[in-house]
Amino acid sequence: MGVINEVTFNTVHNQQKVRLFTLNNQNGMIVQVTNYGAIIVSINVKDKDGKQADVVQGYETAQEYIDNNEFYQGAICGRCANRIRKGKFMLNRKEYSLTVNNEDNHLHGGMKGFDKKLWDVKESSASEVTFQYTSPDGEEGYPGTLSVTVTYSINENNELRLDYSGTTDQETILNLVNHSYFNLAGEGSGTINNHQLQIEADFYTPLTKNLEPTGEILTVKNTPFDFTSLTGIGDRINTDHDQLKIGNGYDHNFVLKHPIHRLDLAATVIEPRSGRKMEVFTTMPGLQLYTANWIKNVKGKEDHIYQEREAFCLETQNFPDAINQSHFPSPILTPKNVYKHSTIYKFSVY
């Protein structure tokens, strides 16, 4: 099917309209996004033979995203994506307690994070759409009234670009992430172990048994985390390594080489059978590799049943739990500053 029928997203949720927006370019690339959770619903791109497929997991209707999206498929996660240890942090000598929704930790914005919000549609065209959400002071425990926007746009280079911005009326913390699950052979087509991955990172941040960062920054050299050259995602995923056991696979933040705020290459993925290639560019300092380790029997598009390690996420982000790790890049946003970051997913064939 690939392209989703926009009618299946025409519904009302919390007295607001849910809609699906279809973005096109002249090369046949089609991207669909919805204002519910600012979710990427589908990305249709051609393989080496010109055959199109949808390369992100998800659902065919708005109601399924509303009812079933516990794994954040395609969604914008916020205010703070990833984990905050025990849901607590200090800011201006005051301790804040966030909602705890992942064992003892706060994950991806809490019980009703940005992935479960209906965003306002600010602008839309055939190649671009901008969503906006205002998060009230105290939502999920966060301080400050925060206004955020995300713009999705595509161009003739088969680039899907995400531009984020945020402003606040008092100091708060912010780390917005898109949580798309990719399979470059096409969603629902089985294991991603054969995908070849390169990450522009010499270091990664290891985890405790509760999946929070230990605070260490370790070299990838001579470990299963060395993706400094193209390597099969599945080549070492079952290695007897403490960190892989903790995550049940890869669920780790990589320390990108490029200077923060400079839009630069972060990762390259190729899928040998289809010939599809995806390059990820970002201004953010971190990249989370997640190999869908906890997905089991999730019914998705076209009655596909998604299982573990049938998709991967490359989440461009600040480091997890950065507010509690003073040597990590700061996630603090002040009223004087504007939060900005950009990410590009570029598709081609090789």
Side-chain angles (χ1 to χ4, degrees), residues 100-120:
V100 169
N101 62 320
N102 181 255
E103 301 292 332
D104 294 333
N105 296 320
H106 176 87
L107 175 67
H108 291 328
M111 297 299 287
K112 289 193 175 176
F114 293 0
D115 63 296
K116 295 178 182 68
K117 303 298 183 182
L118 260 170
W119 296 53
D120 292 327

Side-chain angles (χ1 to χ4, degrees), residues 70-98:
E70 62 177 305
F71 295 106
Y72 307 94
Q73 296 192 81
I76 297 294
C77 300
R79 287 187 194 189
C80 254
N82 220 305
R83 288 172 180 82
I84 294 177
R85 185 191 296 255
K86 300 201 183 307
K88 294 186 184 298
F89 64 93
M90 297 288 294
L91 192 59
N92 291 329
R93 297 192 292 272
K94 181 178 176 182
E95 183 176 74
Y96 290 90
S97 293
L98 306 178

Side-chain angles (χ1 to χ4, degrees), residues 169-182:
D169 65 353
Q170 61 176 288
E171 278 198 23
T172 191
I173 57 175
L174 186 57
N175 181 30
L176 298 175
V177 162
N178 179 271
H179 207 303
S180 288
Y181 286 72
F182 295 97

Side-chain angles (χ1 to χ4, degrees), residues 156-174:
E156 298 307 316
N157 295 322
N158 282 6
E159 294 175 341
L160 170 60
R161 180 175 175 130
L162 287 65
D163 290 300
Y164 304 83
S165 70
T167 56
T168 182
D169 65 353
Q170 61 176 288
E171 278 198 23
T172 191
I173 57 175
L174 186 57

Side-chain angles (χ1 to χ4, degrees), residues 59-291:
Y59 304 103
E60 293 175 17
T61 68
Q63 200 60 48
E64 287 172 291
Y65 280 103
I66 293 165
D67 294 340
N68 302 333
N69 200 22
E70 62 177 305
F71 295 106
Y72 307 94
Q73 296 192 81
I76 297 294
C77 300
R79 287 187 194 189
C80 254
N82 220 305
R83 288 172 180 82
I84 294 177
R85 185 191 296 255
K86 300 201 183 307
K88 294 186 184 298
F89 64 93
M90 297 288 294
L91 192 59
N92 291 329
R93 297 192 292 272
K94 181 178 176 182
E95 183 176 74
Y96 290 90
S97 293
L98 306 178
T99 50
V100 169
N101 62 320
N102 181 255
E103 301 292 332
D104 294 333
N105 296 320
H106 176 87
L107 175 67
H108 291 328
M111 297 299 287
K112 289 193 175 176
F114 293 0
D115 63 296
K116 295 178 182 68
K117 303 298 183 182
L118 260 170
W119 296 53
D120 292 327
V121 182
K122 287 302 181 190
E123 292 179 53
S124 67
S125 71
S127 60
E128 184 174 304
V129 63
T130 297
F131 299 130
Q132 187 273 337
Y133 176 66
T134 299
S135 175
D137 180 30
E139 184 171 62
E140 298 290 325
Y142 288 98
T145 299
L146 175 79
S147 173
V148 292
T149 67
V150 57
T151 297
Y152 291 105
S153 59
I154 65 171
N155 63 21
E156 298 307 316
N157 295 322
N158 282 6
E159 294 175 341
L160 170 60
R161 180 175 175 130
L162 287 65
D163 290 300
Y164 304 83
S165 70
T167 56
T168 182
D169 65 353
Q170 61 176 288
E171 278 198 23
T172 191
I173 57 175
L174 186 57
N175 181 30
L176 298 175
V177 162
N178 179 271
H179 207 303
S180 288
Y181 286 72
F182 295 97
N183 185 322
L184 298 186
E187 60 81 28
S189 59
T191 181
I192 43 94
N193 283 343
N194 68 319
H195 284 58
Q196 302 286 304
L197 171 64
Q198 182 170 337
I199 300 176
E200 306 301 319
D202 294 324
F203 298 93
Y204 77 106
T205 53
L207 302 173
T208 70
K209 285 178 179 165
N210 290 331
L211 299 174
E212 321 126 350
T214 64
E216 298 166 285
I217 296 175
L218 300 183
T219 181
V220 300
K221 200 170 180 181
N222 301 319
T223 77
F225 295 86
D226 187 348
F227 287 98
T228 52
S229 59
L230 282 169
T231 304
I233 289 177
D235 285 3
R236 299 162 305 186
I237 202 166
N238 294 315
T239 305
D240 185 11
H241 189 284
D242 284 351
Q243 285 296 308
L244 290 174
K245 288 178 181 173
I246 285 170
N248 193 32
Y250 295 104
D251 191 6
H252 292 76
N253 172 66
F254 287 76
V255 180
L256 295 172
K257 292 178 186 176
H258 69 253
I260 299 179
H261 307 311
R262 191 171 86 190
L263 186 60
D264 224 332
L265 182 67
T268 305
V269 192
I270 61 176
E271 200 285 306
R273 289 170 300 174
S274 66
R276 287 191 185 92
K277 176 181 180 180
M278 183 177 79
E279 295 165 286
V280 183
F281 301 81
T282 188
T283 55
M284 293 299 270
L287 182 76
Q288 185 90 3
L289 170 63
Y290 176 52
T291 44

